[in-house]
Amino acid sequence: MTRNPFDPEFSHLPAMMPIFPLAGVLLLPRARLPLNIFEPRYLAMVEDALGSGRMIGMIQPLDPAGREREPAVYSCGCAGRITSFAETDDGRCLITLTGVARFEIGREVEGARGYRRVVPDWRPFRTDLEPESCGDIDRNRLLGVLKTYFRVQGLSVDWKSIESTLDERLVNSLAMICPFTPGEKQALLEAPTLAERGKLLIGLVEMAILDSHDGDGPPPKH
């Protein structure tokens, strides 16, 4: 796949970056995440990011039910670049983040204008900047469980589009949009390779199918 000319080189990844703690929200490299920004501190974060590299780190709180203003967060998140921006008449910002690379928090530093900032360690995820890969996923098994899963959920999907989607884009998009728990989303984020993320995704979908039939008799036949 052709490299996006706006994608940063590894040596140009920021040494300091704002973070946006949000439970149950997952961003992965090259995937797109729409966000509705309305809190003043995060409006300030977006404004500052637009003027300085456009990068924001998405990360989950350790306690998804917590209400702390500055919750403890997981050590691993994913940075995204603002690739779409719009204002609304009621004072919100609608942005899209495109995933660039995962990161470990090296240390947290003093925040700015109410939002938090960290020094990211990009080294464990250097390969996230490489072009998306194909051929590492058991597509037949994945598509098989997806057909059962979507049928159980009562969802209608464009199967031609799904079948023509490249491995990484398919796995990462499903990992982001499927209603997994925050802990399961974090496990998908931290999977070292696309192949391992694909295996984990298949396992989570299979468990969701089994859970949907607990107490209701056997699952429907294929």
Side-chain angles (χ1 to χ4, degrees):
M1 183 175 180
T2 304
R3 178 180 172 82
N4 186 323
F6 291 104
D7 287 343
E9 300 288 343
F10 183 79
S11 60
H12 293 162
L13 291 172
M16 186 168 60
M17 180 176 61
I19 57 169
F20 188 8
L22 203 55
V25 175
L26 179 62
L27 177 63
L28 290 164
R30 284 169 289 281
R32 294 179 180 177
L33 175 67
L35 292 169
N36 176 17
I37 309 296
F38 53 88
E39 280 192 59
R41 56 178 168 162
Y42 294 127
L43 290 170
M45 175 189 71
V46 169
E47 183 177 78
D48 290 349
L50 286 170
S52 177
R54 295 188 282 142
M55 297 275 280
I56 293 172
M58 296 301 302
I59 200 158
Q60 290 200 101
L62 287 172
D63 179 6
R67 292 290 181 264
E68 298 90 343
R69 181 174 172 82
E70 295 192 354
V73 295
Y74 283 98
S75 62
C76 178
C78 184
R81 187 177 69 255
I82 299 174
T83 52
S84 173
F85 170 84
E87 297 176 347
T88 67
D89 292 338
D90 59 358
R92 294 173 292 121
C93 287
L94 305 178
I95 67 171
T96 298
L97 291 182
T98 298
V100 173
R102 292 170 292 171
F103 64 92
E104 296 278 354
I105 293 179
R107 59 189 174 90
E108 187 162 351
V109 297
E110 184 178 357
R113 302 176 68 188
Y115 63 85
R116 297 163 69 179
R117 298 186 297 176
V118 300
V119 173
D121 182 359
W122 306 102
R123 293 172 297 177
F125 306 108
R126 190 183 188 110
T127 57
D128 284 356
L129 296 175
E130 296 176 0
E132 61 185 285
S133 56
C134 295
D136 296 328
I137 304 302
D138 185 345
R139 287 185 71 97
N140 289 334
R141 184 178 174 194
L142 176 58
L143 293 175
V145 297
L146 285 177
K147 287 178 180 177
T148 302
Y149 177 74
F150 288 137
R151 185 170 66 248
V152 167
Q153 297 293 323
L155 300 175
S156 177
V157 298
D158 181 352
W159 282 108
K160 287 186 178 180
S161 177
I162 288 177
E163 289 169 355
S164 64
T165 301
L166 296 177
D167 288 351
E168 183 190 61
R169 192 169 303 180
L170 178 61
V171 169
N172 287 356
S173 296
L174 290 167
M176 289 173 61
I177 66 175
C178 287
F180 300 130
T181 68
E184 291 167 343
K185 296 255 185 184
Q186 189 67 26
L188 288 163
L189 172 71
E190 295 183 13
T193 65
L194 178 63
E196 291 176 79
R197 184 175 300 133
K199 290 178 183 177
L200 178 57
L201 176 66
I202 290 170
L204 291 173
V205 172
E206 288 175 336
M207 285 193 295
I209 293 169
L210 290 174
D211 288 345
S212 70
H213 295 290
D214 280 353
D216 297 327
K221 296 179 180 180
H222 289 276

